[in-house]
Amino acid sequence: MPLTAEVIWADGPATSPYEPAKNEIRDWGTWIEGIISAFLGNGGLVYTSQAALFADLAHAANSSAWVIGDANAALNGVYMKVGGSGTGSWTRVANLPYSFVKLTDAGAGTANAIQLTSTISTSPSVMRVANVFEANAGNVTVSENGGGAKALLTSSGNQIAPGGLVAGMMIVYVDDGAAFRLLTDQASAAIVAAAEAAAAAAASSAAAAAASAAGVNLPAVAANRMLVDNAAGTLRESKTFSQVMTLLAGAVSGIASAFSLDNNTLYKARSLKDRWLDSYRLAEELQFTGGGATATDAAVLQGLFNRAKAAGRGEIILPRGDIALEAAVSIFEDGSRPIRIVGQGPNQTRFLNTSASQKLFNIGDAAQARTKDMTLEGFQLYAAVAQDNSGRGFNLRNAQDITFKDILLESMRNGWALGESASATNDVTYVSVENCGANSPGTSATPIILLGSGGILQIAGSAYRWNASGGHDFMQHINTSWNWDGLYVYGQHFEHFAKYLRSTGKGVVNLIWTGGQMDRADIFFQCEAAAGGSNRNWDIHDIQMLGFSGSGGGIGFTGSGPTEQIRIRSNVFNGLSDAAIYAATGEVFVSGNEFIDCAYLGASAPSGGAIIRVGQGFARITNNVGRRSASSPGVAYRYGIQWDGAALATRSAGPTNSNVWYNFGASAETGTM
């Protein structure tokens, strides 16, 4: 099929109209002639409606017919017969072969909603010629033969100006699908009138602006200065940038002080915006001492936090250097305006304690509304005074949705206490510890993380380090009235804690501890739920637990409370000097673990000791592998599995040869399942 007439005779820019190619005109004309010849050769069938055509099937296949005058213009066109005479159907194959259609505006519409009629139906491919009955007064629409109205636009696609169509003028236009577009121009008088009106309005505005400016008395122009209204509001004064910043700083903070832009901020290009709109900076407080001096830094930070909360600010920016806290900073925030306290980095901003029993930050309080949506980020806690067992880094009570990010504890043994001594369940919930760590030498009866009442603690990200030199535990749950519901530890690397998790309270429910490495421990996981409690639904998997000569038990489940639904899978136990897994009671599922050179050294080991020791409970032990090199201590008397007590139907070691033990004594197992 050749190009359509609309494309061949398309109008281009006024400066360079298209010149139709003769070969395209010949192709189009030949196509039209062929259609007409075919039409005439088939008897010249013409119908006034599609319905009349469809009712007449008494014509041979490939006969052609025209529908002219259907009330629905879209149904007019050239049709071809499909199927033999008396059967089949008619299908529309082309528009009626008219290159243009003349339409008439008899005044049936309005000046701006023109209604046109024609004796020949229109189609998207034809060019239209029509008269204009009366001049328009605004935007124009056109409907053809009772069809839907479309906007009539200029050739360039703009609305027609009022008076752009005048009575009696002839227009030529085409259908571009979305609107009708003029190929002729609108009346130039209307365009000139619109331009003159715009010019008059501009001249009027310029005169008004000149009159207004004549009454303004401004200081002389000078480089790098700004105009500021004076305090009385009577004059405008020329101020330097520094003078303007000082005025703004005083207006925002309520403290009249010189303002300077230094490097002591996380925000350099953005520092002014942050300060004025949403942030306070501790370094700009007049009473702030800094440098690690023991003075009033806690009181200054407390006052700044209180002021930020009252003013609806969202951020407190800490400076580089040491900040000595003479007392705890207490943070109470109901979540209506979350506040972020952010330093320059763990090795740049440090908080120092000044007494052994001190709490550095109290976050939430039982007597306050529940504290929510706090973030503490990018600083370090440092024990300038050695902590005793009562000291705390972060003490959380009656709080939720608290995030610690990029926090490092240095020489502090007692880092986080969550819901300690709480008298109700779920005292602290939804705490996230991300990219944090601790270097905690010395001995302490308090762990790095102390769990009381609450739930949903997540520890994840790339830790700076978790190191205790064997002196105390990493985490312990102690509350005997309320359990901890939801503990999730991902991909952390630890060095030499006494125990990594010790659950001696009512119990930890719903635990995932996965990934990373634990290097050396007295016992890696010690689970001793108190009476009435339960350690339940644990999943310990894909961890390396590395022992060292002389000590190192793996995972032990004892205590008054039961152990339920404990899964220990796909871990590596290497070099432990005590039982890797000991379940006195409860439910344990042990599968797919590797035990390498784990040898019991104590003389009191029952039956010579074993890698896995199971008491009277529910246990399934499958697909584990144990290997001991010939130089391992006690190679002649160790077992893979030791079954304690009487035979029990709820204990099994899986299918035959499911567990494989290399280089053990007379048998890989002792006792009766």
Side-chain angles (χ1 to χ4, degrees):
M1 177 177 175
L3 297 175
T4 64
E6 182 179 6
V7 174
I8 297 171
W9 282 278
D11 57 311
T15 57
S16 179
Y18 289 132
E19 294 186 4
K22 291 183 178 180
N23 62 314
E24 293 176 350
I25 296 174
R26 285 194 299 271
D27 290 344
W28 180 83
T30 301
W31 176 65
I32 292 296
E33 291 169 353
I35 292 175
I36 295 173
S37 297
F39 172 70
L40 296 176
N42 281 280
L45 301 175
V46 179
Y47 297 83
T48 58
S49 71
Q50 186 194 69
L53 171 65
F54 282 8
D56 183 6
L57 299 178
H59 298 280
N62 299 322
S63 297
S64 65
W66 289 10
V67 174
I68 299 177
D70 196 297
N72 183 349
L75 302 181
N76 294 316
V78 178
Y79 287 76
M80 182 179 73
K81 179 65 168 42
V82 179
S85 179
T87 63
S89 62
W90 292 95
T91 182
R92 191 179 187 278
V93 295
N95 295 325
L96 292 173
Y98 298 113
S99 59
F100 70 91
V101 174
K102 182 178 180 180
L103 298 104
T104 301
D105 179 4
T110 66
N112 296 333
I114 299 173
Q115 295 181 14
L116 299 176
T117 58
S118 64
T119 57
I120 300 173
S121 62
T122 61
S123 70
S125 62
V126 302
M127 184 166 58
R128 283 91 161 155
V129 178
N131 68 302
V132 175
F133 185 78
E134 57 185 323
N136 72 305
N139 297 345
V140 178
T141 64
V142 169
S143 65
E144 299 176 340
N145 297 318
K150 290 185 179 182
L152 180 63
L153 305 176
T154 67
S155 178
S156 56
N158 298 315
Q159 296 289 347
I160 296 174
L165 302 181
V166 297
M169 75 181 293
M170 297 296 290
I171 59 173
V172 179
Y173 66 96
V174 294
D175 185 352
D176 71 0
F180 294 127
R181 300 279 284 271
L182 286 174
L183 299 182
T184 52
D185 201 356
Q186 57 182 314
S188 60
I191 302 173
V192 172
E196 290 173 345
S204 177
S205 297
S212 177
V216 177
N217 184 14
L218 298 176
V221 175
N224 299 321
R225 300 179 76 88
M226 299 177 69
L227 294 181
V228 180
D229 292 349
N230 65 3
T234 57
L235 294 173
R236 288 190 171 89
E237 302 172 338
S238 180
K239 299 284 188 183
T240 65
F241 291 158
S242 295
Q243 290 171 326
V244 173
M245 288 191 290
T246 298
L247 288 172
L248 290 170
V252 170
S253 66
I255 300 173
S257 61
F259 178 84
S260 61
L261 179 62
D262 55 31
N263 290 325
N264 196 17
T265 176
L266 283 174
Y267 308 94
K268 294 190 169 78
R270 294 179 56 225
S271 61
L272 298 182
K273 171 182 178 294
D274 290 328
R275 173 178 169 77
W276 295 339
L277 298 183
D278 205 43
S279 300
Y280 280 140
R281 296 176 67 218
L282 180 62
E284 293 168 2
E285 300 300 294
L286 294 179
Q287 298 82 15
F288 176 68
T289 58
T294 304
T296 59
D297 285 352
V300 175
L301 180 54
Q302 184 71 65
L304 183 60
F305 176 84
N306 295 342
R307 195 165 76 248
K309 182 169 68 171
R313 297 304 178 91
E315 185 175 62
I316 293 175
I317 302 173
L318 305 171
R320 290 186 179 88
D322 290 345
I323 305 170
L325 301 179
E326 74 282 359
V329 177
S330 296
I331 298 172
F332 309 133
E333 165 57 44
D334 64 5
S336 58
R337 179 64 172 175
I339 296 179
R340 172 176 177 251
I341 300 177
V342 58
Q344 310 297 300
N347 296 309
Q348 302 296 323
T349 300
R350 298 199 310 175
F351 285 105
L352 314 180
N353 68 344
T354 54
S355 65
S357 300
Q358 180 181 346
K359 294 178 175 65
L360 275 71
F361 288 90
N362 285 321
I363 302 174
D365 186 85
Q368 303 286 334
R370 193 166 181 83
T371 291
K372 301 177 182 177
D373 298 321
M374 296 294 305
T375 299
L376 295 91
E377 178 178 350
F379 57 82
Q380 182 173 324
L381 303 186
Y382 180 78
V385 178
Q387 288 179 301
D388 61 22
N389 292 333
S390 300
R392 300 287 184 269
F394 302 102
N395 185 52
L396 280 68
R397 287 295 314 276
N398 190 28
Q400 74 179 57
D401 296 310
I402 310 299
T403 297
F404 299 92
K405 188 175 181 181
D406 295 320
I407 303 289
L408 176 62
L409 275 57
E410 181 64 43
S411 300
M412 299 196 75
R413 306 169 203 156
N414 316 327
W416 287 266
L418 282 63
E420 183 181 7
S421 302
S423 59
T425 188
N426 291 329
D427 184 71
V428 174
T429 56
Y430 300 103
V431 176
S432 179
V433 178
E434 304 174 11
N435 301 337
C436 296
N439 184 32
S440 180
T443 302
S444 175
T446 303
I448 289 287
I449 299 177
L450 183 64
L451 302 180
S453 167
I456 315 299
L457 168 62
Q458 175 179 280
I459 303 174
S462 300
Y464 287 91
R465 54 183 175 272
W466 297 108
N467 186 3
S469 299
H472 61 115
D473 298 343
F474 174 68
M475 186 185 302
Q476 182 179 5
H477 177 249
I478 61 171
N479 194 310
T480 57
S481 298
W482 311 106
N483 64 6
W484 186 271
D485 187 355
L487 174 60
Y488 310 103
V489 181
Y490 302 103
Q492 301 299 289
H493 292 75
F494 301 93
E495 180 74 26
H496 201 185
F497 282 84
K499 299 176 179 68
Y500 292 93
L501 174 60
R502 187 180 180 195
S503 181
T504 58
K506 189 158 185 183
V508 174
V509 178
N510 301 325
L511 171 147
I512 297 175
W513 197 306
T514 181
Q517 179 174 292
M518 300 168 159
D519 190 354
R520 297 185 292 179
D522 295 337
I523 299 176
F524 288 87
F525 293 87
Q526 184 171 346
C527 311
E528 301 172 339
S534 171
N535 287 308
R536 183 171 69 252
N537 191 30
W538 288 22
D539 192 0
I540 302 172
H541 67 92
D542 294 287
I543 305 169
Q544 288 197 71
M545 286 174 253
L546 310 180
F548 67 106
S549 178
S551 65
I555 305 174
F557 300 98
T558 60
S560 301
T563 297
E564 305 173 85
Q565 303 160 24
I566 306 298
R567 290 172 294 280
I568 305 168
R569 57 189 178 90
S570 303
N571 301 290
V572 175
F573 298 82
N574 193 330
L576 273 62
S577 299
D578 204 336
I581 300 171
Y582 175 39
T585 60
E587 298 175 317
V588 293
F589 305 88
V590 182
S591 65
N593 300 283
E594 298 179 25
F595 304 92
I596 302 172
D597 284 345
C598 296
Y600 191 83
L601 299 181
S604 60
S607 303
I611 288 179
I612 301 174
R613 183 178 170 188
V614 180
Q616 297 289 292
F618 187 105
R620 181 166 178 80
I621 303 172
T622 61
N623 299 314
N624 300 283
V625 175
R627 175 183 63 79
R628 300 180 58 239
S629 61
S631 61
S632 296
V635 67
Y637 57 86
R638 282 295 300 269
Y639 295 96
I641 304 174
Q642 176 176 321
W643 307 100
D644 288 345
L648 200 62
T650 56
R651 304 188 302 194
S652 72
T656 303
N657 298 324
S658 171
N659 301 290
V660 180
W661 313 105
Y662 297 101
N663 294 333
F664 285 86
S667 64
E669 300 180 18
T670 183
T672 305
M673 283 190 288

